[in-house]
Each structure stands twice: as C-alpha cells, then as structure tokens.
Amino acid sequence: MKLGLKSGADDFFFVQRGSAAGHGNLVPSRGAVAVTGKDSWHGVISSRDLIPAILNPHQLFDGKQRTLTISKQTKHLYLAPRAGALKEDLKDYVRLGEIAGLPNQKLVAANAEDAWYRQVRSRVYSRWALPYNSAYDYGAWDNEFGAILNGRFVGVDAIDDENQLLLGAVLNTTMTAMCRLLEGVATGVEGAYDVGPPAARKMRVPDIRRFDPSRIAEVTDTFQAMREANIMPPAPSTEGKVSLLRRHLDVAVLCALGMSAGQATALLDRLYASYGRWRGGVEKVETKMRSNRRAMNALGQSRTVNPIEATGRRVWDEIRHDAPNFPSDFVAKDEVIEVIGVPTDAYIPESEPLIEAGIITTKKKRLDLKHCGRVAYARMLRIIGFAGLFEIPVSHVRCMAIVALFEEHHAKLREAARQRAEKYVSSKESVDAVVNVTIRHWLKTCRDAALARPTDEVRVEAKTH
C-alpha cells in the first residue's frame, strides 16, 4: 500500500485539461495540450511534460452515480517537466509559481530535484485506488490505465498480477467497507473516516488465497459485470438496503470462502442492518451539526476560522487603501530591468558590508549585482515572497529609492495595523500576531499585483546563476 503523491502545491502541479476555444491565441500544436492551472492560468504545455492524474475522489462521478473505473482521459494532469529547457508556455507558468512564492514552501522545496518545479517524490500508479478520506461509501477505483494518484488516495496492488481482479472484488465488498469503520479515524463529518496506509494495512479483508478454486470464476464474473456497468455500488442505506450489484458481489465472495448461499444471505442481512443503524445514527448527528453550522454562518462565524486570522483580515481590509503594491506601483514602464536567477539558498546581506557590497553568495557561487542598492532590492523581493527569477532595475539609484519607500510604508502599515488591532484584542501577543497576519496579506497583495504588471518594460538579457 502506498499513499498518493503529496506535492505541497496541488493547484500548481495538477493542471486541468482545457480547450483552446475562448483563450485568444491559445492554439495547441501537435503533441501539446491546452490546460488551465494555478490562478486560472491558461496555456499550452507539451504532453511529454504531463502525466494523467486523479486529484480527488469527488471527480469520480457520472452525474450522481459513483463510477468504478478511472478514465484513460483524466480531467487533471500532473506537471512533470523534462530535463532541459522548458517548452511551449511552461516557462511563463513556472514564473507564475515563483511569483506566488511556491519555491519557498517547505514541501515543494523538500521534493525539488534540480529545479523546484521538478519534483522527485515517488509517484503512485497502483491498480486500485482507495479513498484516504471516505464518507458512507467506501470502495476501490480501478486504475487500469495507470493514472498518478494524488495524496487523497491510497494505492493498492496485488502481490501477483494475476490476482488483480480478485483483489479489486474483495476491496469493493461491504465486508471491507465495514472494516474501515474499525481501523479508520473518524473525522466527525458525514460519517467520514481517514484511512491511510497504516490503518488500511490493519483491515482484515476477505483472503483470496482461501477461495474455493471452483468458486473463483463466479467472483470474477460478478465483479466483471460491475466493471462493465462502471458503477461503484453505494453502501447500505439507513434501512439496510443495497443494490443488486453489491449483494451479488458480497454473496459470491462469501460463497468462495466456503459458505452456502443461505448462510451468506443470512450473514449479509445482519451486516447490512448493522451498517444501516450506524449510518442512521451518524446522519441524525450530522443533521443537527448542519443546523448549528447554518446558525453560525448567519452570525458570520465559522468553526474552522482562527480568530487571529479573522481579525488580521479585518484589519487589512480597513487599511488596505493606504497600502501600495511593491514593487509594481513604483517600477516605470520604460524601466530597464535585469532578470536574475537567485537561488533560494542564496545569502543576501541585511546591511551593506565593508567590502564587496554588491555580492550575493550561495554555497557554491558568487553573484555580483554591482551595487549594494541592487542587493537591498533583491532582499526586499525576498521579504515580499518572490523566489526564483528576480526582476531588478539596472539603476541602483532607482533600487535604493524603491527600497527606502518600501521600508517606510512597511513601518507605517505595522503601526496602523497595531493601533487597529488593539481595538479588537487585548494581549500583546495577540496584537503582534494580528499585525503579522495583516502584513502577510499586504505582501501577498504585492505578489498578486506583480502578475498583472505590464509586460512591455525594457529588459536586458536574463541571467541565471
């Protein structure tokens, strides 16, 4: 059993298939795919840089019916750029991720290979995909075409490939669905249980090694009918009722384990009734919880909102009209810009050194920005949250002026945020926390503004180090 891929930035690495229609000049060439990515970005990416992927169990529906098989043409694709130069529109998309600060996120950085957008975390293509978090219905999706599984899934494979269909059959029985109640961790939402690899390994499912050889064909034929119908049968209802597909599969598996048809039917009736009682009890509690949540929402409250975060957001909304966007509000359209690749581990001095004032260093290299004013500008970009390619004006005088304005507004905003925060919270620790949240919103707004910045500036050739 393997946990699906955790990228740390699913909205970036899992792009959605799109259409060239309605996207201006977006016309995919042969071997390329039109996609939609982070922040509604539209572009064309080479199919060799994309792998079919499944992002969420909620997308495995056909109308209101849960499907059993994962389509070969998945809705989402996993971004896996090849080594070498970035092709098609991928360079622009990577730049968007850098502006959003993705290289600085812990999991993204930990998974990075030679570049932050090339991830080395193991990819899971298991034949059967179990939901990490399940509601009332619990089953195993058939990943016959080998799509990458996201971290919302647990991948399972049979030890012997010839037993893959038998494994899929037992994983979709009601007996397995009941086991997840015993080993999973309840989340308190609509009967949902977290079932990761440790819990899944403890689940005692029907043992296909004990099947009567003369009964195996009945199991595989029954499960094959379910696959052809492409329906994952719903779990027992509150009245203990099930579909014929589920009952036929459960009976076939129990008979293969040595029971008679009558014995299997008697056991399943008790099993379905028990599951129905549990489900009914949980649904009653959930109905009360929904009523309570509606009351909280009517009052503008939420059980998931951190009070400090909410207060910080409120303070930011009150002072945002006085907060300029750095550096986009202060860089002229005709500014001469140098695009420089600054590694995330680069050391940027906080004050002007006695000698070599224009140097940024890494463990292996030295990057000469020619003047301490440009170094200070790079440090400002890092504080704002930019990463990867830094756009730095060639003029050190302009750099120093913009940095001075940034420090001035930073101090003013902190003071304004503190004065307003003291009206909502009392302790010094809480005030400091609210101020930090407010400044974080400001810096994010600065990064977002950079995405909308005009692209007709005068630039010299980009340099990477």
Side-chain angles (χ1 to χ4, degrees):
M1 294 184 181
K2 301 176 182 178
L3 181 64
L5 188 150
K6 287 187 173 291
S7 68
D10 285 354
D11 58 344
F12 179 86
F13 287 104
F14 289 89
V15 298
Q16 186 172 326
R17 294 181 192 270
S19 169
H23 296 335
N25 295 325
L26 181 61
V27 180
S29 59
R30 184 175 182 180
V33 183
V35 299
T36 301
K38 179 178 174 61
D39 298 331
S40 299
W41 177 89
H42 297 295
V44 174
I45 298 179
S46 171
S47 58
R48 297 175 63 188
D49 294 321
L50 299 168
I51 303 174
I54 291 297
L55 182 61
N56 196 305
H58 297 303
Q59 65 189 214
L60 298 174
F61 278 84
D62 182 8
K64 294 183 178 181
Q65 180 66 59
R66 191 184 295 254
T67 59
L68 179 63
T69 60
I70 296 174
S71 170
K72 185 176 182 179
Q73 194 79 355
T74 58
K75 180 180 180 181
H76 286 86
L77 299 161
Y78 177 67
L79 184 64
R82 295 160 287 167
L86 301 176
K87 308 296 183 183
E88 305 291 349
D89 295 334
L90 192 50
K91 185 176 181 180
D92 292 337
Y93 189 48
V94 167
R95 179 60 180 148
L96 180 148
E98 291 173 344
I99 290 175
L102 298 186
N104 296 328
Q105 294 187 10
K106 290 183 179 179
L107 189 53
V108 173
N111 293 342
E113 194 175 21
D114 59 326
W116 70 268
Y117 49 83
R118 292 193 180 97
Q119 301 278 287
V120 296
R121 196 177 183 98
S122 297
R123 300 166 189 170
V124 179
Y125 305 89
S126 297
R127 175 62 186 268
W128 302 102
L130 299 172
Y132 187 97
N133 179 277
S134 69
Y136 300 109
D137 300 319
Y138 186 83
W141 285 277
D142 188 351
N143 189 27
E144 181 181 6
F145 300 108
I148 283 182
L149 301 181
N150 178 265
R152 296 177 180 87
F153 295 93
V154 176
V156 182
D157 285 294
I159 297 176
D160 299 318
D161 194 58
E162 62 183 15
N163 290 326
Q164 289 286 16
L165 283 182
L166 283 178
L167 175 62
V170 300
L171 290 177
N172 280 287
T173 61
T174 307
M175 289 73 80
T176 298
M178 287 288 284
C179 282
R180 98 19 168 120
L181 300 180
L182 301 175
E183 304 297 346
V185 178
T187 66
V189 179
E190 296 181 355
Y193 278 72
D194 282 348
V195 185
R201 290 190 184 100
K202 294 180 180 179
M203 291 170 57
R204 299 177 64 86
V205 301
D207 191 346
I208 60 178
R209 296 170 299 180
R210 297 179 178 274
F211 280 5
D212 182 343
S214 64
R215 295 279 196 164
I216 289 178
E218 183 180 352
V219 175
T220 55
D221 290 346
T222 304
F223 186 55
Q224 186 61 32
M226 190 182 294
R227 293 178 70 235
E228 291 174 357
N230 196 20
I231 294 175
M232 183 179 288
S237 67
T238 54
E239 294 81 20
K241 296 179 180 179
V242 297
S243 67
L244 288 178
L245 280 175
R246 176 170 292 282
R247 180 176 285 276
H248 288 166
L249 180 62
D250 289 341
V251 170
V253 169
L254 291 178
C255 287
L257 288 172
M259 287 188 178
S260 66
Q263 290 173 327
T265 299
L267 175 61
L268 289 174
D269 286 343
R270 295 198 303 271
L271 186 68
Y272 297 157
S274 176
Y275 195 97
R277 285 194 300 273
W278 166 81
R279 181 168 183 166
V282 173
E283 285 187 350
K284 289 180 181 178
V285 173
E286 184 58 25
T287 299
K288 294 180 180 179
M289 291 298 297
R290 288 197 188 101
S291 176
N292 293 338
R293 283 196 291 269
R294 285 194 295 268
M296 292 178 67
N297 291 335
L299 296 174
Q301 301 176 359
S302 171
R303 63 192 180 97
T304 61
V305 174
N306 185 313
I308 294 296
E309 291 286 337
T311 305
R313 178 70 193 190
R314 179 174 182 177
V315 171
W316 166 240
D317 288 338
E318 293 175 357
I319 67 174
R320 65 185 308 164
H321 62 281
D322 292 327
N325 297 320
F326 283 88
S328 55
D329 285 356
F330 301 94
V331 177
K333 290 185 177 181
D334 60 350
E335 190 79 60
V336 181
I337 299 293
E338 187 176 16
V339 182
I340 303 174
V342 180
T344 55
D345 63 346
Y347 170 69
I348 304 179
E350 294 185 4
S351 58
E352 181 179 352
L354 185 62
I355 57 176
E356 297 185 320
I359 300 296
I360 291 176
T361 60
T362 68
K363 294 179 179 179
K364 299 180 180 179
K365 301 176 182 178
R366 288 158 52 86
L367 175 58
D368 189 358
L369 299 187
K370 308 299 184 182
H371 195 279
C372 63
R374 302 186 76 213
V375 173
Y377 193 93
R379 185 173 63 252
M380 177 194 72
L381 294 180
R382 176 172 286 182
I383 291 172
I384 294 173
F386 293 101
L389 295 177
F390 282 10
E391 297 182 353
I392 303 177
V394 170
S395 170
H396 68 271
V397 175
R398 290 284 300 151
C399 287
M400 293 177 67
I402 294 174
V403 170
L405 285 172
F406 174 76
E407 293 175 346
E408 177 184 344
H409 281 281
H410 193 174
K412 286 182 178 179
L413 284 175
R414 277 196 168 275
E415 181 58 30
R418 183 172 298 280
Q419 291 178 2
R420 292 178 181 271
E422 289 174 347
K423 298 178 182 179
Y424 302 117
V425 294
S426 55
S427 70
K428 181 180 181 304
E429 292 78 8
S430 297
V431 170
D432 291 341
V434 170
V435 170
N436 290 336
V437 171
T438 304
I439 296 300
R440 191 179 74 230
H441 281 293
W442 174 50
L443 298 180
K444 182 181 184 301
T445 303
C446 291
R447 296 195 300 271
D448 292 342
L451 294 175
R453 178 180 170 183
T455 58
D456 56 351
E457 300 95 342
V458 180
R459 290 190 176 89
V460 301
E461 183 179 355
K463 297 181 179 179
T464 57
H465 300 267

